[in-house]
Amino acid sequence: MTAWVVWTQVRTTGSGQRLVYGMSTVSLLRTVPGGHERIKVIWDEGKEPIQHPHVITMKVANRGRRDIANAAFNAADPVEFDLSAQILGPLDAPIGHQWEIEGSKLRLRPTIIHRGPSRWNKWKWVKVDRAKSSSAVLSITLLVDGRSPELTLTEPHPLIDVDVQKGNPDEPDLGRALTQTTMALVAALSVVLIVQLLALFNVTHY
């Protein structure tokens, strides 16, 4: 009975949906000695050089146990982030259906975000779906102009029953791995207890 209670608590804790967001920043001038005098960064031909150019890679990752569906975005509103720097444009790919830009704001439009890959599912090892694995992390690389870019989530965010946290989207989900390990241990403990109870029952009836 104790093992079953623990297993139930593990399975029902939280909504099972968690979004982690974060960004990396590289200054294009500070990395070069005397860069401000020797190197000029120009985004559009004919315009003045960018004063404080930075390359930012923004990432969001689903670290929950379930996919985050379009319906999780309340009223189809996007999740908005403020980079505290003027966004000049994307460097890796054109803005598609997932992202939109306005000033220093970067918005993630309603889209399905698959949960990260896991090899443990319903008491058996399964093959990782590489297609879903790649879509578990959404990223975009941007050129911005700002002295000290910082990432801020605009509150309140529109995601329903989704725990949104700032962190490193590239780090493995140790929390979910611990939960899966706990489930495996609880299952093993349950089997041991059942075997012991059956053995005790047989001894009692002889």
Side-chain angles (χ1 to χ4, degrees), residues 1-10 185-191 193:
M1 180 64 69
T2 301
W4 175 258
V5 171
V6 173
W7 183 85
T8 303
Q9 289 177 343
V10 170
L185 291 176
V186 169
L189 178 61
S190 299
V191 173
L193 289 176

Side-chain angles (χ1 to χ4, degrees), residues 10 115 118-120 175-185:
V10 170
R115 69 188 185 96
S118 175
R119 293 188 178 276
W120 179 261
R176 193 172 70 186
L178 179 60
T179 298
Q180 294 168 346
T181 302
T182 302
M183 290 170 59
L185 291 176

Side-chain angles (χ1 to χ4, degrees), residues 36-173:
H36 285 79
E37 294 78 23
R38 299 167 54 191
I39 297 178
K40 302 297 181 184
V41 178
I42 299 176
W43 177 245
D44 288 326
E45 186 176 356
K47 292 189 176 181
E48 293 294 321
I50 304 172
Q51 294 299 311
H52 305 285
H54 289 79
V55 173
I56 286 178
T57 299
M58 170 71 184
K59 293 184 179 182
V60 296
N62 183 354
R63 290 291 178 256
R65 299 191 302 272
R66 297 185 295 157
D67 292 345
I68 298 176
N70 292 350
F73 292 76
N74 185 35
D77 290 335
V79 179
E80 183 180 90
F81 302 94
D82 192 337
L83 306 185
S84 69
Q86 180 70 24
I87 302 175
L88 302 177
L91 296 178
D92 51 355
I95 294 295
H97 69 281
Q98 294 176 337
W99 304 95
E100 61 182 42
I101 291 172
E102 182 181 354
S104 64
K105 311 291 187 182
L106 177 64
R107 300 186 181 99
L108 175 63
R109 294 172 178 153
T111 183
I112 184 171
I113 309 174
H114 293 289
R115 69 188 185 96
S118 175
R119 293 188 178 276
W120 179 261
N121 185 22
K122 295 182 180 179
W123 313 112
K124 63 181 180 180
W125 292 102
V126 296
K127 184 178 180 180
V128 173
D129 188 334
R130 295 300 178 186
K132 286 191 174 183
S133 173
S134 61
S135 59
V137 180
L138 305 179
S139 67
I140 185 171
T141 301
L142 305 163
L143 178 64
V144 305
D145 186 8
R147 189 179 297 274
S148 299
E150 293 184 4
L151 178 61
T152 305
L153 172 69
T154 301
E155 297 279 7
H157 64 77
L159 291 174
I160 303 172
D161 295 330
V162 178
D163 183 20
V164 182
Q165 302 174 353
K166 189 174 185 178
N168 185 353
D170 291 324
E171 287 183 351
D173 187 5

